[in-house]
């Protein structure tokens, strides 16, 4: 048995195996890395607390924000004044300077060396006002660049903020959790630094148990906890997995911001191995996540799709759990969504379902998805959408029964891979296109054998589409894998097909009344 024959025989088993989470998810690892590094997602990781201002010049409620020219005077008031009222006032004014839309003067304030004073103010439990204002200042500085955040972290503020989660002031608790969220969102090193403190994550989760917890703190806590579960490499799962029950509960809320952050959290936690997917399913929130695929806001849709998508990258039983929540019914409208990102992620989910069992693939076909995928490939110009759509079809070919392949061929699947044979630089898609044709041709051989046919009818179809010619043009491809695929197909199917055609030409004596030969394939 040749190298490629062995490869063909084992391809399906290696794609999605019940007992091997590593194998079952390896094909989609590249996609998971890419979405974890999404610019839009990273932008969600830091939040500045903005001072609400009234722009009316006649309003008595207008909040005064000092100009940058006043900064030296304010810093002097903090460093040199003995009057606590003066210190409080100057601290509040600097906080307002940092709490504006646009480009706050973070670097200018850092250069005054006043930041260590705010760190000291955090430790003064007798002055809640200064604690609150200082926490707000430090939190907003941590919305800046990584260098600015690092400056704050190097002042050893993390354990102080963790201690402040026990404060009697809800405002101090909120600003502390806000600061920890911003620090965690800056880089994975800081995320892991926060989690390295004993029982730090438990202390953060304990905020949820506060009897007086209001909606604002609830939202900020959910966002911060979600931030601490994000990133690749993943955080220590044993340290963060208890967040599941809170995310599972909060995704059932009606407030959009809460749903968004809870869904992001669920998507992060389930991006690991099969055990982590089982833990998501155990929260009993999977039906809610599937339901959220019908939400009107893309802010909800994207993390909900990713969380559900993680489930179907798992083993067959985990995929089935999602299908039993009417996933296919909820998924179908997303293929006509106005946002390309939604279409792409819907394809990603479907491609993992067609990597499942024959029964799961048949369910996809019965739900009418194949014509939708064909239309998507033809109509969209977005490469990543086309790529996921092609994976969907390829997985269906490879995982489906003979009857599934027959149905796919009858529906026109042979045309879908043709354009990709002409894109010689797209090795991954070129490879699965060739593999799909090899599987289709092998089914054609079985049909011919079972029905006593002289010709492989699927080889005939591919010949009419010019597929063999395109494949021949790949014979000298730079990739050894592609060359082996080409050699296998040409040797086992094209040469045999040509021999059959030549034999028919030589043996045929059937002519019409005009003397034309009637070839039978």
């Amino acid at each position: 048995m040749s190298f490629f024959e062995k490869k063909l025989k084992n391809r399906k088993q290696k794609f999605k195996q019940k007992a091997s989470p590593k194998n079952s998810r390896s094909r989609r690892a590249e996609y998971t890395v890419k979405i974890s590094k999404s610019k839009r997602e990273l932008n969600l990781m830091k939040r500045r607390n903005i001072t609400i201002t009234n722009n009316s010049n006649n309003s008595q409620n207008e909040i005064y924000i000092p100009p940058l020219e006043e900064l030296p005077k304010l810093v002097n008031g903090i460093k040199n004044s003995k009057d606590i009222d003066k210190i409080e006032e100057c601290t509040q004014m600097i906080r307002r300077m940092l709490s504006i839309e646009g480009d706050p003067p973070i670097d200018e304030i850092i250069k005054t060396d006043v930041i260590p004073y705010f760190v000291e103010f955090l430790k003064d439990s007798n002055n809640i006002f200064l604690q609150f204002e200082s926490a707000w200042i430090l939190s907003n500085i941590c919305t800046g660049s990584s260098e600015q955040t690092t400056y704050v972290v190097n002042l050893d503020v993390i354990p102080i903020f963790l201690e402040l989660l026990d404060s009697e002031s809800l405002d101090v608790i909120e600003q502390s959790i806000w600061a920890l969220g911003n620090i965690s969102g800056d880089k994975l090193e800081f995320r892991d630094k926060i989690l390295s403190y004993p029982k730090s994550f438990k202390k953060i989760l304990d905020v949820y148990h506060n009897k007086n917890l209001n909606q604002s703190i609830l939202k900020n806590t959910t966002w911060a906890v979600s931030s601490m579960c994000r990133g690749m490499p993943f955080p220590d799962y044993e340290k963060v997995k208890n967040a599941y029950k809170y995310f599972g509960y909060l995704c059932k809320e009606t407030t959009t911001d809460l749903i968004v952050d809870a869904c992001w959290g669920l998507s992060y936690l389930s991006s690991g191995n099969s055990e982590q997917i089982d833990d998501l399913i155990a929260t009993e929130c999977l039906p809610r996540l599937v339901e959220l695929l019908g939400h009107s806001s893309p802010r909800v849709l994207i993390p909900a799709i990713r969380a559900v998508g993680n489930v179907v990258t798992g083993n067959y039983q985990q995929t089935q759990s999602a299908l039993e929540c009417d996933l296919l019914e909820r998924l179908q409208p997303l293929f006509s969504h106005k946002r390309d990102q939604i279409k792409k992620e819907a394809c990603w989910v479907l491609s993992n379902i067609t990597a499942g069992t024959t029964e799961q693939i048949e369910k996809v076909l019965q739900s009418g998805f194949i014509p939708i995928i064909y239309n998507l490939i033809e109509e969209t110009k977005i490469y990543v959408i086309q790529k996921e759509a092609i994976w969907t079809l390829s997985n269906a070919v490879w995982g489906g029964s003979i009857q599934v392949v027959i149905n796919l061929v009858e529906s026109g699947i042979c045309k879908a891979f043709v354009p990709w044979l002409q894109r010689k630089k797209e090795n991954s898609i070129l490879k699965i296109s060739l593999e799909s044709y090899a599987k289709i041709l092998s089914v054609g051989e079985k049909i011919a054998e079972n029905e006593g046919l002289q010709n492989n009818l699927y080889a005939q179809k591919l010949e009419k589409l010019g597929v063999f010619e395109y494949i021949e043009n790949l014979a000298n491809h730079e990739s050894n894998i592609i060359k082996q695929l080409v050699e296998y197909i040409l040797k086992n199917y094209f040469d045999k097909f040509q021999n059959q055609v030549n034999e028919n030409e030589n043996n045929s004596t059937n002519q019409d009344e005009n003397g034309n030969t009637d070839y039978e394939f």
Side-chain angles (χ1 to χ4, degrees):
M1 184 180 290
S2 70
F3 165 80
F4 181 57
E5 287 173 314
K6 293 178 181 178
K7 182 177 178 63
L8 291 178
K9 182 178 180 181
N10 294 328
R11 183 182 189 273
K12 180 183 175 184
Q13 285 80 4
K14 288 186 176 180
F15 187 93
K16 205 171 187 182
Q17 297 179 357
K18 298 179 185 179
S20 177
K22 180 179 179 181
N23 284 338
S24 72
R25 301 170 64 79
S26 60
R27 216 291 284 160
R28 314 307 292 165
E30 177 185 357
Y31 185 84
T32 304
V33 169
K34 287 181 179 178
I35 64 176
S36 293
K37 293 181 178 179
S38 163
K39 182 177 180 181
R40 179 179 298 272
E41 182 180 328
L42 291 173
N43 287 341
L44 295 174
M45 291 301 102
K46 289 190 174 188
R47 296 179 179 177
R48 182 180 301 139
N49 194 352
I50 303 298
T51 299
I52 304 300
T53 61
N54 188 325
N55 293 325
S56 172
N57 293 330
N58 298 323
S59 172
Q60 295 180 350
N61 296 323
E62 184 175 0
I63 297 175
Y64 175 71
I65 298 178
L68 187 58
E69 291 76 15
E70 292 188 20
L71 180 58
K73 181 177 70 174
L74 297 174
V75 171
N76 183 65
I78 293 171
K79 289 183 176 181
N80 300 316
S81 177
K82 302 298 183 182
D83 183 353
I84 191 62
D85 292 335
K86 180 68 173 177
I87 293 174
E88 290 177 353
E89 179 186 2
C90 292
T91 298
Q92 186 180 63
M93 290 301 105
I94 290 179
R95 184 265 295 169
R96 289 182 182 179
M97 294 175 71
L98 287 167
S99 305
I100 58 172
E101 294 280 6
D103 188 22
I106 296 177
D107 272 337
E108 289 82 353
I109 293 173
I110 288 176
K111 288 175 182 177
T112 66
D113 292 324
V114 73
I115 303 301
Y117 287 82
F118 302 135
V119 176
E120 289 303 310
F121 295 159
L122 288 180
K123 303 174 184 178
D124 187 359
S125 59
N126 294 318
N127 193 324
I128 299 298
F129 179 85
L130 269 182
Q131 280 186 319
F132 169 69
E133 293 288 344
S134 298
W136 190 338
I137 288 171
L138 295 171
S139 178
N140 278 357
I141 289 176
C142 290
T143 63
S145 67
S146 186
E147 290 77 12
Q148 292 163 343
T149 305
T150 299
Y151 173 82
V152 173
V153 172
N154 287 342
L155 295 174
D156 205 25
V157 297
I158 292 176
I160 301 174
F161 281 128
L162 288 170
E163 286 298 318
L164 289 177
L165 297 181
D166 293 325
S167 173
E168 296 179 358
S169 167
L170 289 179
D171 289 334
V172 171
I173 291 173
E174 181 171 16
Q175 281 305 140
S176 298
I177 198 74
W178 201 324
L180 289 167
N182 281 333
I183 292 170
S184 174
D186 185 77
K187 53 186 171 183
L188 302 185
E189 176 188 340
F190 293 159
R191 176 203 69 186
D192 293 339
K193 187 177 181 67
I194 292 172
L195 295 175
S196 70
Y197 288 91
K199 299 184 179 179
S200 58
F201 200 66
K202 180 182 183 302
K203 183 180 282 287
I204 293 167
L205 292 180
D206 283 346
V207 173
Y208 284 115
H209 299 294
N210 193 309
K211 295 179 183 179
N212 300 313
L213 201 65
N214 58 42
Q215 191 76 358
S216 177
I217 305 178
L218 183 61
K219 287 193 292 185
N220 279 308
T221 301
T222 304
W223 160 74
V225 172
S226 175
S227 175
M228 292 172 201
C229 296
R230 175 201 147 263
M232 295 186 70
F234 302 115
D236 184 336
Y237 183 63
E238 290 301 314
K239 291 181 178 179
V240 298
K241 68 179 183 179
N242 287 336
Y244 255 131
K245 62 181 179 182
Y246 299 99
F247 290 143
Y249 170 77
L250 292 167
C251 76
K252 300 172 185 177
E253 288 280 331
T254 57
T255 305
T256 298
D257 286 343
L258 274 176
I259 296 173
V260 168
D261 289 324
C263 286
W264 276 121
L266 289 169
S267 74
Y268 299 145
L269 285 175
S270 58
S271 293
N273 56 35
S274 189
E275 174 195 349
Q276 291 169 234
I277 297 174
D278 278 337
D279 286 345
L280 183 148
I281 295 172
T283 67
E284 300 183 352
C285 68
L286 185 55
R288 173 58 172 165
L289 287 171
V290 174
E291 179 187 355
L292 289 173
L293 299 186
H295 200 280
S296 59
S297 172
R299 292 178 59 224
V300 173
L301 276 176
I302 293 172
I305 292 173
R306 292 187 184 177
V308 173
N310 286 341
V311 174
V312 298
T313 63
N315 59 40
Y316 302 137
Q317 292 92 336
Q318 291 165 339
T319 300
Q320 190 62 32
S321 296
L323 291 174
E324 289 172 0
C325 297
D326 296 324
L327 172 57
L328 292 177
E329 180 181 348
R330 291 284 185 177
L331 196 63
Q332 195 167 96
L334 300 183
F335 286 87
S336 57
H337 198 279
K338 61 182 180 180
R339 292 190 59 169
D340 290 332
Q341 185 177 5
I342 303 296
K343 294 177 184 176
K344 176 192 70 175
E345 308 225 12
C347 279
W348 170 61
V349 173
L350 194 65
S351 72
N352 279 287
I353 298 173
T354 58
T357 64
T358 296
E359 291 75 17
Q360 290 166 351
I361 296 170
E362 289 173 348
K363 186 72 173 176
V364 170
L365 269 63
Q366 292 165 6
S367 299
F369 276 95
I370 299 305
I372 294 173
I373 294 298
Y374 290 159
N375 290 337
L376 199 60
I377 293 172
E378 291 179 1
E379 294 175 3
T380 186
K381 302 298 182 184
I382 310 299
Y383 170 73
V384 290
I385 297 178
Q386 293 176 324
K387 184 176 180 180
E388 290 302 325
I390 288 295
W391 269 111
T392 300
L393 297 178
S394 176
N395 288 342
V397 169
W398 271 97
S401 62
I402 290 178
Q403 187 58 51
V404 164
V405 175
I406 291 172
N407 293 340
L408 287 170
V409 171
E410 290 177 352
S411 71
I413 196 172
C414 292
K415 296 179 181 179
F417 300 104
V418 172
W420 298 93
L421 297 181
Q422 304 167 57
R423 301 178 70 164
K424 297 184 178 181
K425 299 298 182 182
E426 306 289 348
N427 283 12
S428 62
I429 302 300
L430 184 57
K431 175 174 173 289
I432 65 169
S433 298
L434 289 168
E435 289 176 344
S436 298
Y437 280 132
K439 176 65 181 291
I440 289 169
L441 288 164
S442 72
V443 170
E445 287 283 294
K446 289 185 176 68
I447 294 172
E449 181 181 335
N450 293 340
E451 299 183 7
L453 301 176
Q454 186 177 2
N455 298 315
N456 183 335
L457 298 182
Y458 292 172
Q460 180 179 341
K461 283 181 178 290
L462 297 190
E463 173 70 7
K464 289 181 177 179
L465 290 171
V467 170
F468 286 132
E469 183 178 348
Y470 288 125
I471 293 177
E472 282 185 301
N473 291 336
L474 296 169
N476 295 318
H477 196 276
E478 60 184 14
S479 166
N480 288 330
I481 294 294
I482 300 300
K483 285 193 287 190
Q484 288 174 339
L485 280 161
V486 169
E487 180 183 354
Y488 177 84
I489 293 172
L490 294 178
K491 177 181 177 181
N492 290 276
Y493 300 108
F494 179 63
D495 290 349
K496 184 176 182 180
F497 171 72
Q498 287 290 6
N499 290 335
Q500 289 171 340
V501 171
N502 293 335
E503 184 178 340
N504 287 340
E505 289 176 344
N506 293 332
N507 294 336
S508 176
T509 58
N510 296 325
Q511 294 183 335
D512 63 19
E513 58 185 3
N514 295 317
N516 296 321
T517 302
D518 180 15
Y519 298 115
E520 295 181 359
F521 292 131

